[in-house]
Amino acid sequence: MRGNEMLEAVGFLDEALILRSETPKKRRSVLNILLRLGTAAACLLLIFGGVFLLNKEPEYIKPTRTIVKNYGYLEPMGMQIADVNNYEAVTELSSQIVLCKVNDLVEVEISQTGQFSFCYEIEILDTLLDVGVRLQIGDTVRVTSSEGILKATDAAALVADTARAKKFGILQENYAEEDYIVSSTWNAIPIEVGNCYLMYLNDVYLEKEGVYAESGRSYLYEYHGQTVYSGRDMIKNDLTLTEIINTVESYITMRTGRADEIGDDAYIDELGEKQQREKHPEVYIDLDRIAAIHQSLVINGISDMISAAPKYRDPELHTIETWDYEKLVDYLGLDIKRILSEFSRLYGLEDCGGEEFPVIFQKDGQLVEDISSFKAADEGGTEVCISASRLRAPYDCIYRADNEFTTTVPIPDTDETVDVMLYGNTDEMLYVADFMLNGVQYRITTKNLSTEPLAELLYMMVKTK
């Protein structure tokens, strides 16, 4: 049955309808189809885009606080054996790394040095590292830390009346409601109750005191969603939480467990030795080799001393030129000041050397005097002097001894040796070492030091060959 017959059969006699049924339908153009598809796609984009925007996490903005007191310190106090404020070291020295929420401040104390110590109750949200599998998600544990921020009025109520607070004058004033105090060490972000953190922990105190120690140094991160804050000044980090976790986990995979094996103190000693060797390979202290040098020392007892003052130079026939230290180093081929500075640091001496070094030329330009000397001393009479010259023996006196035995000092990492003539007066603790290295004659003189430091200084000198 054709279209018009069907319409008549059902009683639809409208001519317009019949005509439309008989008229062939126009083909839709490709442009028309694309326009309709584009409109549909735009609608879907608006729908899903709106859903995405509705579900997108709003960026957290950390509130501005009025900080009236800063406690703690920006850099570690005292001389550090090693630099432990890096991802590798804090990972080795930590037994747990967790994501956590700080639920409560349990206790605040002031140490004997006037620093704050906080005890927090934290809830474990996730574990990235857990040596010994001590923690489960949802556990609440106590953690001690030197990092904290709280209202000054609350802090004063907790500690102002204690003997140590009064001794150090801590929180002895009146504070406004909006005032806060901050305690931060290692430039770490201060911990605040109610916030979430990526936190490094050490369980060294767990057995005896029932608390973990926050052990991340400056690697303590406060996070809100993916927004992370770090540092003493609570600055927004450039990285997201996920990116920081990825970095932390990469160091976890490289963790050797060396600190677990030998203990934290021994690990830090090893690390310091490694870092010193990498930073200053030319003055790295190899204790075993120094001990071997010390055992080989043969001291010739001083029986007499003869003056050997420098020759007088007629100013009409000579000129004096002053070299700076850089030129002197190029001339000698050895950075004596740096070696003596490192030695002085080890033995508590103060460098006494200058920055200008006079040398004497003849009128024809020939160099005739080039002796340079470097000294370090303390107020107790301990003294070290290193003199050097390429032209002659660099000293103003000659020591004589009944015997003149030489000590052979091996040059580390080579098959070469240096012959050293040693003179000494044990009663006066005066020791002198004369030797030649790379065409330069040296004299080391020590006063009020034993032969062990002399052996160490000899090692440091020949190590730089």
Side-chain angles (χ1 to χ4, degrees):
M1 181 179 290
R2 292 183 300 179
N4 60 337
E5 293 173 342
M6 184 180 294
L7 289 172
E8 288 175 353
V10 295
F12 290 98
L13 302 177
D14 190 306
E15 185 177 353
L17 291 176
I18 295 171
L19 288 173
R20 267 207 310 270
S21 70
E22 298 240 343
T23 304
K25 292 183 180 179
K26 295 180 180 179
R27 296 173 60 89
R28 293 182 181 175
S29 68
V30 174
L31 179 59
N32 185 266
I33 293 171
L34 291 175
L35 287 172
R36 290 175 179 270
L37 289 174
T39 302
C43 291
L44 288 173
L45 181 62
L46 286 172
I47 292 170
F48 287 105
V51 172
F52 173 78
L53 289 172
L54 287 173
N55 292 330
K56 183 180 179 182
E57 176 187 298
E59 182 179 3
Y60 175 84
I61 304 297
K62 195 165 183 63
T64 301
R65 300 283 171 67
T66 302
I67 309 299
V68 294
K69 292 289 182 180
N70 279 291
Y71 299 97
Y73 42 87
L74 291 174
E75 298 293 337
M77 293 186 296
M79 184 180 71
Q80 294 296 313
I81 298 171
D83 172 18
V84 294
N85 191 28
N86 56 76
Y87 268 123
E88 179 183 354
V90 297
T91 303
E92 291 287 352
L93 291 167
S94 298
S95 51
Q96 285 78 22
I97 305 175
V98 301
L99 299 179
C100 64
K101 181 179 180 181
V102 178
N103 289 335
D104 193 17
L105 174 61
V106 179
E107 188 177 20
V108 182
E109 291 184 346
I110 298 174
S111 71
Q112 293 180 354
T113 59
Q115 303 298 325
F116 274 85
S117 176
F118 303 91
C119 180
Y120 298 102
E121 181 183 89
I122 68 169
E123 178 184 351
I124 306 301
L125 304 179
D126 199 0
T127 56
L128 306 179
L129 171 70
D130 188 7
V131 178
V133 193
R134 296 180 181 274
L135 300 175
Q136 301 291 329
I137 294 175
D139 286 352
T140 56
V141 297
R142 292 188 173 185
V143 173
T144 61
S145 175
S146 298
E147 330 306 335
I149 177 172
L150 66 161
K151 284 187 175 183
T153 52
D154 294 340
L158 292 169
V159 301
D161 290 335
T162 64
R164 285 178 182 168
K166 292 179 179 179
K167 173 184 176 181
F168 293 108
I170 296 175
L171 298 172
Q172 301 298 305
E173 304 172 20
N174 294 321
Y175 301 100
E177 185 65 20
E178 65 274 13
D179 292 343
Y180 281 75
I181 64 107
V182 159
S183 175
S184 170
T185 59
W186 297 91
N187 195 31
I189 189 167
I191 296 172
E192 185 170 9
V193 173
N195 289 337
C196 295
Y197 296 86
L198 190 158
M199 191 179 292
Y200 288 75
L201 305 176
N202 189 305
D203 58 13
V204 64
Y205 303 120
L206 186 62
E207 185 174 342
K208 290 185 177 180
E209 301 180 24
V211 296
Y212 290 85
E214 183 264 310
S215 57
R217 280 69 178 183
S218 65
Y219 295 87
L220 174 65
Y221 300 102
E222 178 185 318
Y223 68 91
H224 303 265
Q226 286 293 314
T227 304
V228 178
Y229 288 83
S230 56
R232 183 187 184 100
D233 295 328
M234 298 170 277
I235 301 299
K236 181 182 175 183
N237 202 291
D238 292 334
L239 302 178
T240 66
L241 177 63
T242 299
E243 290 170 330
I244 291 174
I245 288 175
N246 289 339
T247 300
V248 171
E249 289 180 333
S250 70
Y251 280 91
I252 291 174
T253 61
M254 295 185 287
R255 187 178 188 271
T256 66
R258 183 62 173 164
D260 304 334
E261 177 186 352
I262 64 175
D264 291 355
D265 291 342
Y267 169 79
I268 292 173
D269 288 342
E270 277 191 2
L271 181 63
E273 193 171 301
K274 175 186 174 184
Q275 289 171 344
Q276 185 185 59
R277 183 168 59 249
E278 292 173 346
K279 187 175 182 181
H280 298 297
E282 67 280 8
V283 294
Y284 166 64
I285 305 303
D286 188 322
L287 297 179
D288 292 336
R289 285 179 172 172
I290 291 170
I293 292 173
H294 180 248
Q295 291 177 358
S296 70
L297 295 182
V298 179
I299 308 296
N300 299 293
I302 297 173
S303 59
D304 193 11
M305 182 178 68
I306 302 173
S307 175
K311 182 180 178 181
Y312 171 75
R313 303 291 179 178
D314 187 343
E316 296 294 327
L317 303 176
H318 300 83
T319 59
I320 298 176
E321 182 177 314
T322 300
W323 288 355
D324 61 18
Y325 184 64
E326 183 177 356
K327 186 170 183 178
L328 183 65
V329 171
D330 290 339
Y331 176 71
L332 296 176
L334 193 65
D335 190 345
I336 299 175
K337 276 183 75 172
R338 183 176 42 74
I339 295 172
L340 185 57
S341 178
E342 178 68 15
F343 180 85
S344 299
R345 184 185 66 82
L346 295 172
Y347 288 94
L349 307 179
E350 292 290 334
D351 294 348
C352 307
E355 297 296 329
E356 296 182 342
F357 303 88
V359 294
I360 300 177
F361 287 87
Q362 291 182 164
K363 291 295 186 180
D364 61 5
Q366 181 181 351
L367 181 64
V368 293
E369 292 289 350
D370 68 343
I371 296 176
S372 57
S373 295
F374 304 83
K375 293 183 179 181
D378 65 12
E379 295 179 354
T382 301
E383 183 179 310
V384 177
C385 178
I386 302 175
S387 299
S389 171
R390 280 191 175 275
L391 300 178
R392 66 179 185 87
Y395 40 75
D396 57 7
C397 64
I398 298 173
Y399 292 100
R400 287 185 175 178
D402 295 335
N403 299 300
E404 293 199 354
F405 297 108
T406 59
T407 296
T408 300
V409 177
I411 299 175
D413 304 319
T414 73
D415 295 327
E416 301 176 60
T417 60
V418 174
D419 290 333
V420 181
M421 183 65 70
L422 292 169
Y423 302 94
N425 186 321
T426 305
D427 293 337
E428 297 180 7
M429 291 193 73
L430 168 67
Y431 297 102
V432 179
D434 294 333
F435 59 97
M436 179 177 285
L437 184 67
N438 293 337
V440 179
Q441 297 183 71
Y442 292 97
R443 167 168 282 187
I444 298 175
T445 304
T446 66
K447 296 179 181 179
N448 292 324
L449 283 173
S450 66
T451 53
E452 285 91 343
L454 176 61
E456 189 167 343
L457 188 52
L458 278 170
Y459 169 83
M460 295 169 73
M461 293 283 289
V462 301
K463 177 71 171 64
T464 60
K465 180 181 182 299

